[in-house]
Structures are given as structure tokens and as C-alpha cells.
Amino acid sequence: MKSLRRIIGYLAAYKFWAVGATLSLIAVTVANLTGPQLLRYVIDEGIRAESGRAIALGTAGLALIAILRGVFNFTQAFWSEQASQSVAFDVRNDLFAKIQGLSFSYHDRAQTGQLMTRATNDVELVRQFTGQGLFQMINSLLMLAGSIFVLLYMDWRLGLATLSIFPAIAGVILFFAMKIRPMFGKIQKKLGHLNSILQENLAGVRVVKSFARSDFETERFQVANKEYKVENLSFVRAASQAFPSLFFFSNMGTIIIIGFGGWMVMGQRLSVGELVAFNTYLMFVVQPLLAIGFLSGIIIRAGVSSERIFEVIDTNNEVVDKSDAQTLPPVSGKVTFDDVHFRYAGQDEAVLKGIDFTAEPGQTVAILGATGSGKSTIINLLPRFYDTTDGRVLVDGFDVRDLTLDSLRSQIGIVLQETTLFSGTIRYNIAYGRPDATEDEVIAAAKAAQAHEFILEQPNGYDTTVGERGVGLSGGQKQRVAIARALLLDPRILILDDSTSAVDAETEYQIQQALDGLMVGRTSFVIAQRISTVRNADLVIVLDKGTIGAMGTHKVLMEESPLYMEIVASQLTEDRTADKMTG
């Protein structure tokens, strides 16, 4: 209920629609409760007394009630839908903004499919609650309370006899609600797992087909789909057990009214019109109870979904701006790692241990090491994708934790081997970090990245639309678009993974030319894969199990570091590309 109260709190911004829907519900309830009294009047004062005037008045009153009920049902449905769509809009935006702001450590642990389920299916269930469940529950409670009051007011003895079925129906509903509550948590988890499998396969469809694993993945999806189906059928089974009981007890109420009420009519303690009205009010008692039983499913599902949504929204972000965070002024590019230690969340052993070095403005720093030595971790700490466990990372003397994230990251350009492009035009992707860039600036960045010529060869040039993740462009073309994107920012600090092992010699040469141009005059951190990179670097850092095993220039390390010579011999690629291009 705490999560649902928070969802209801979103309605505060849409008071007009929420209040309008509530007032419309009250008007519908009054109209419904008035109807049986007019029916009683028509029977007793019109039909039995053979009064045409009474029949005409009663009939006109019933027609007026039908019209008013139709009008207010429309306004209630329209305004409640306006409110629910607006709440879903706000919740979805808050959830997406939170996901965008969460640190890398959260995304390391979270499943994409689960997050997608929360942003889509869970938000939709919350919308159903605010648009249908909440207002229909109010309507049911108003109708129930009003009907009970009228029943007791008309004849307390028959009213009490009729309401004797109430505890049994309430007990069935309570049992049903308690039984299905844990089911919806399982259903949503199964759906999230199903979405995770779907997302993974859509993202990795080429790998699946390359390894001829389509049948395996189809079977895996079918297993998850079956588990989701089984959980849903468990809910259906519980509902099928509960609702027949509700109908049974409601029928018992009708039997009580016909039997006891008929005996009272024969004894002239109740009129025929009152007996008919009593039976109608019984339906007004039973229908809300049945509705509450049905709505309990919607409400419980919304409760589970709201818990899942707020579980993300309430997640503590490990990397946030301090309250007194400073804006980083334009930097010269001096970067210092001061006794840096780092351990990933949930791991016992530190990935980095006592990292100490300084990169002067304009220098190129090559980072080498075996897999798992901490190369990627170092470059992730600089733009503060993670915070250090101990020690400091300084940019021009500023601790990155004392700076606003936007001002820090806007002065760092990143080009990684695994290039990510977004659905949209080539121009949109190049200008992603600077959407206000002019056409000339975009073209200049593309030329510097060796991308201008191949872009002009595309069907619509810079306005050519690329598919999801850059589908439609080759790996080398995507890489050069990413370099142009980084160039457009004109950053003073660069982070590069210059591996080009997955492309042909010509493309490798073009990319390397673009990267060499990109690094001029900038402080660059390169996860080195090429001998030319380390030869030309001002500082080479060799990582060994999270510590600096050796550090210096290529020449010094070749003379003094066996570890470095071993890596050069076994890991770095020879630079034959330029020879192939020129020879």
C-alpha cells in the first residue's frame, strides 16, 4: 500500500481530472441508488394503484436518471483516463531518468530485460490502477455503503437478513487477495526473464545465427515462455476457485430476499415495490463486492508493479554530484591518479591497487596488460563512471568527485572499439554530443575523422538513416563516425581503445590516420593494441594484476622491463598496415 500511495500522489498534479472523475462517480452512485426508489414508486403508486400519472412521472424519472448516468459515466471514464495516462507519463519519465542517471555498477548487475519490463508492462499496470482500479474501487465502496444504508433504512430486519451473506463474500475476497498477492510478483519476474532472453537474442542475433544456435535459443525462449504461462494459469486457477463462491453467496442473498421478503409482503409489512427495490439493492451490494474481488487483482498487480518501479527509482546512485560540486573550467588536460584503489561492488578483491601516475597536458598514455589486469577500469574511473574505492583521480588538480558530472564528461572524448550508434541520420550521430553544431562543423569533424568521403557515397549523404546500432554501415565506417563524434566535442582529454584487429588493412589504416589526428594536442589514454601506439606514446603503463608492473617510455621499458618485452612480443600487433597501403 505504501507504493500505491506514492502512485496516488502523482495524481496531485492532475487534481482537476482526478476530482472531476471522483465527483462524476459520486453522481453515478446517487443516480444508481435513486433508480430502485423510482421503480418502487412506479409499482406501488402507479401499477398497483392504477395511476397513469404516477407511472408517467416514475418512467420520466427513470429516463432522466439513465441520461444523467450516461453523461457522468462518460465524464468519469474520460477524466480518469486523462489522469491515468498523465500519471503513467510522469512515472515512465521518472523511471527512465533514474535509469539514465544510475552508475555503471548498477547496470553491471541489472538485466536489461527486467528494466524494460518495469518501464513498459509495470507502468501499464500502474496506469490501469489509476485509470480503472482506483476510481472503480471508489465507485464500488460508495455503492456498497449507499446500498447497505438504504437497505437498513427501508427495513432493518430484511436488511440484516440480506447482509448476512456479507461476511462470507468478504472472507472469500480476502482469501483470494492473500492467495494471489505473491503470484503477481512471480508473474512479473517471469515476464522480465522472458524479455531478457528476447533482448539478448535481438542484440546478438548475428552471433546466434553464426553459431547455428537458433534452435537452442528458440527452445530456451519456449521454456521461459512456458514458465510465464504456468504462473499466469496459477492466477486463473485461483480466480476460478474464488468467483464461483462469490456467485453462490450472492444467489443465497436473492433466496433470502425472495423467501423472507415474500413472507413479509404476505403479512403486509412490506410492499411489492419495496420487495423489488430490495432485490435491486441486493444486486447493488453484490455487484460492488464482485467488482472488489475483480479489482483486487488489478490493485495487487499494480502494487507489485509499483514496488518494482520504486525499487529502481529509490536505488541509491553511487555516482552523483555533491551538493557543493564545482563546474570544471576549460582544462589543459593534466590527469593524475593518486594512490587509486578500486573494487567492483560484490567482489572481495580489488581490481586496482595503488595506481600512481601523472599525464601531462598533450601527452599520450598507452595502457597495456593482460586480460583482467585493470585497463578498462582505469579509463572508466577518469570520466567517473565509477568512483574510486580509495585514492583520488585529479583533472588539472581537481578531484573528479568534487566536479559536476556534466562539466567533467563534456571535456572528455571517448572512442571505444565497440562502437555504439543510434537509429537516426549520420549527421545526428556525429552531432550527438553537440546537437547545436553547425553543418560546417559536422562536415569538418567528419573530414578530420576520414569519414567525409564514404558519407557522401551513401544514398542521402549526411541525411542517410542508419539502423539500430549502426546497421547499414561497416565496422570501420561506424568507428570513423564515432571518431567524428568525439572530434566535434573538441575535448582536451581523450580515451581510446584503438584496436583495429577486426577490420581489413585499408580500413585499419584509415582509422589509425583518424585516431592519430584526433590525439594531436590532447591528453590521450589509449588501451594499446599496436606497436606504433606504444612507440609514439609519451608514457607507457604496464598493468600486472591491478598494480603498475612497469612504467616509462617504450625505449626505457624495452631495456629495463622483462614484463613489457613479453607483452610486446605476445600481445601487440605489428604495424604492417601502412606498408601495405603505401607499398
Side-chain angles (χ1 to χ4, degrees), residues 304-339:
V304 172
S305 292
S306 61
E307 287 176 359
R308 285 163 52 85
I309 289 169
F310 288 122
E311 181 182 294
V312 177
I313 291 178
D314 294 340
T315 298
N316 290 324
N317 197 348
E318 297 172 14
V319 178
V320 294
D321 288 340
K322 290 183 177 179
S323 58
D324 58 347
Q326 307 174 58
T327 299
L328 180 63
V331 299
S332 62
K334 182 176 181 179
V335 175
T336 301
F337 276 63
D338 180 16
D339 192 27

Side-chain angles (χ1 to χ4, degrees), residues 4-15:
L4 287 180
R5 284 196 296 270
R6 289 180 64 179
I7 291 294
I8 293 171
Y10 277 83
L11 285 170
Y14 308 99
K15 292 179 182 177

Side-chain angles (χ1 to χ4, degrees), residues 413-470:
I414 303 176
V415 180
L416 301 177
Q417 179 186 9
E418 198 65 38
T419 303
T420 298
L421 298 184
F422 299 95
S423 298
T425 65
I426 294 176
R427 176 186 288 103
Y428 167 79
N429 276 282
I430 292 176
Y432 186 76
R434 272 189 60 199
D436 59 341
T438 65
E439 181 79 7
D440 290 341
E441 289 173 327
V442 170
I443 292 175
K447 287 181 176 178
Q450 309 287 320
H452 181 65
E453 290 185 6
F454 88 76
I455 292 175
L456 293 182
E457 294 172 357
Q458 301 301 309
N460 297 308
Y462 283 84
D463 292 321
T464 300
T465 299
V466 297
E468 185 180 1
R469 300 184 306 278

